[in-house]
Amino acid sequence: AVASDLPIVGAATQDEFAPYLVEALGYRELADYGAIENFEALAASDPDVIVMDGGEWEENFYALAEEIAPVVRFNLFPLDIFAAIESFGRVFDQERADELSADLQASIDAVSSDLIDPGSIEVSVVAPAGDGMVRLYTDRARLGVQMIDLLGLERPESQSLAASEAAGGGVGEYVVSLEALALADGDLIIVKTNTGGPDDEAAEPLLTTPLWETLDAVQESDVFYADRRYWNFAGPIAAELVLDDIVEILTASELVG
C-alpha cells in the first residue's frame, strides 16, 4: 500500500511503525491503531476501505471491521511477493502494480547477473525463538527467504518443507531446541533479529550458547544479521531492502563478482 502511493490514513502496529515504512511515508501523518483489535481508533480515522491479511482472527473480527468500511483481505502466506502485488493491483491500481512488479524483477535480475555460481552456496536463515529454541525458516516462508530462492541460492536440507513437516512443523518455519542447533548451519547463516544486528536481547541465548561456536559458518565468520521488520513481511519496498542486504552479505562472502 505504501509503495502504491495510496492515501493511507492509519495502520496497525504491534509496537511502532517499522523504520523503513516511516522513511517511505515521509511526512504523512498516520493514525496508529496499535493492536489490530483497536476498532475505536480504526473507526476514528474514517477509512474508505480496510486492507487486512488473510490470517485467522477472532470469529467476529472481520464483521466488526466491515461495520466501519469495506474490507479487502489478502492472503500473503505462503508468501509470493509477485502474487501479492498482483492481487493488490486487481483491487486498487493494476497499472501501478505492474510497474512495481517490473521494477522488482529488474532488481532481482540485476543482482542475479552479478552472482557467481549461486547454487554452490547454502544460505541458512534462522531467528531466536526464546526459551532455548531457534526458529528455522523453510521454502519461501517469508520475504527474505523468497528473495534468496529467486536469486538461485541454495538452502540447507534442514530448512526444506519436508524437513519441517517431518519435525512436526509446517509451511514457513519450525522451531527446534538449541541442542539441535546443527540444523541451523550452512555456508552462510543469516540471523533475523529485532534490531538487524547481534545487539538484540532476544538473540542472546542463541548467540552465547557454546553450541553456536561449533557451527561451521560461525567458525568461518560467515554469520550475518537481518532486520526481521522487513525480512518477514511482504511488499516491494521491503523486497528491495532485502535485496540490498543480500548483496551486502554475498559481497562480504566474496560471492558477488
Side-chain angles (χ1 to χ4, degrees), residues 50-240:
I50 300 170
V51 178
M52 301 168 60
D53 69 30
E56 296 181 1
W57 304 97
E58 296 294 332
E59 184 176 349
N60 65 340
F61 183 85
Y62 292 108
L64 290 171
E66 287 173 341
E67 291 180 3
I68 299 170
V71 173
V72 177
R73 297 174 60 181
F74 292 102
N75 186 8
L76 301 179
F77 194 84
L79 176 68
D80 183 325
I81 180 61
F82 289 103
I85 295 173
E86 174 65 20
S87 295
F88 200 85
R90 286 199 299 269
V91 175
F92 293 104
D93 187 339
Q94 187 63 60
E95 183 177 355
R96 178 57 177 152
D98 291 343
E99 291 175 356
L100 291 169
S101 290
D103 290 346
L104 179 56
Q105 187 61 60
S107 296
I108 292 170
D109 293 343
V111 174
S112 296
S113 68
D114 285 337
L115 295 181
I116 301 171
D117 193 14
S120 67
I121 185 168
E122 282 189 349
V123 180
S124 170
V125 182
V126 306
D131 298 324
M133 309 291 280
V134 60
R135 193 178 311 278
L136 307 179
Y137 290 91
T138 63
D139 306 332
R140 298 200 175 194
R142 302 285 183 176
L143 180 61
V145 175
Q146 185 184 11
M147 292 296 103
I148 289 169
D149 290 343
L150 290 173
L151 292 172
L153 294 160
E154 191 59 72
R155 300 272 287 125
E157 181 60 32
S158 62
Q159 293 171 32
S160 66
L161 177 57
S164 176
E165 291 177 340
V171 177
E173 59 195 56
Y174 69 107
V175 174
V176 299
S177 70
L178 293 181
E179 284 73 17
L181 196 55
L183 296 174
D185 210 353
D187 297 316
L188 295 175
I189 298 176
I190 298 175
V191 184
K192 295 194 296 188
T193 69
N194 296 319
T195 62
D199 57 335
D200 179 2
E201 184 176 336
E204 184 175 352
L206 171 63
L207 302 180
T208 58
T209 176
L211 293 171
W212 181 247
E213 299 297 330
T214 67
L215 302 184
D216 291 340
V218 177
Q219 294 176 5
E220 295 296 326
S221 298
D222 280 325
V223 176
F224 302 89
Y225 297 89
D227 192 327
R228 69 163 187 83
R229 290 170 291 188
Y230 58 85
W231 270 65
N232 271 3
F233 301 108
I237 297 174
E240 295 284 358

Side-chain angles (χ1 to χ4, degrees), residues 235-247:
I237 297 174
E240 295 284 358
L241 292 173
V242 169
L243 285 173
D244 289 344
D245 286 352
I246 293 174
V247 169

